[in-house]
Amino acid sequence: QVQLVESGGGLVQPGGSLSLSCETSGITFNWYTMYWYRQTPGQERALVASITPAGTNIEYGEFVEGRFTISRDNDQKTVQLQMDSLRPDDTAVYFCGARYIGGTETYWGRGTQVTVSS
């Protein structure tokens, strides 16, 4: 059974930082591209960041503007998202996703809420 479990969300003031983590099980982790997406009510999920199995290719959503860093630990089967210089419009539910190389199905976690507010 595939499981992705996000953690690290919470309430933070503008300009602050949060570190999200996603623990996985049930997949051969180093065969999967890992994703962070986010979603606000009434909006589609938006790509925050992605990282390929060996970590050689990384992409970020345009709104990231150098503030976030995605990384992965293939031994621990986890993916992290370090978020700095957070802004109120970063408030969203953040989801971890995993997609097999060349595959079309994406596994998702249940998400973790990030709220940026003073």
Side-chain angles (χ1 to χ4, degrees), residues 7-74:
S7 61
L11 173 64
V12 64
Q13 292 187 343
S17 298
L18 280 177
S19 182
L20 305 185
S21 185
C22 174
E23 298 185 2
T24 71
S25 60
I27 60 173
T28 305
F29 186 76
N30 58 359
W31 291 355
Y32 283 74
T33 294
M34 299 301 298
Y35 300 86
W36 285 100
Y37 274 72
R38 71 186 190 185
Q39 189 171 25
T40 55
Q43 301 294 318
E44 294 186 356
R45 286 187 188 184
L47 174 68
V48 178
S50 65
I51 184 168
T52 51
T56 50
N57 288 307
I58 291 174
E59 294 186 5
Y60 293 99
E62 288 186 2
F63 55 83
V64 170
E65 299 175 338
R67 300 177 297 127
F68 300 172
T69 304
I70 189 172
S71 61
R72 64 188 292 158
D73 185 330
N74 285 352

Side-chain angles (χ1 to χ4, degrees), residues 67-85:
R67 300 177 297 127
F68 300 172
T69 304
I70 189 172
S71 61
R72 64 188 292 158
D73 185 330
N74 285 352
D75 291 332
Q76 297 297 318
K77 301 182 180 181
T78 59
V79 60
Q80 292 78 36
L81 184 69
Q82 176 65 37
M83 303 189 294
D84 300 315
S85 302

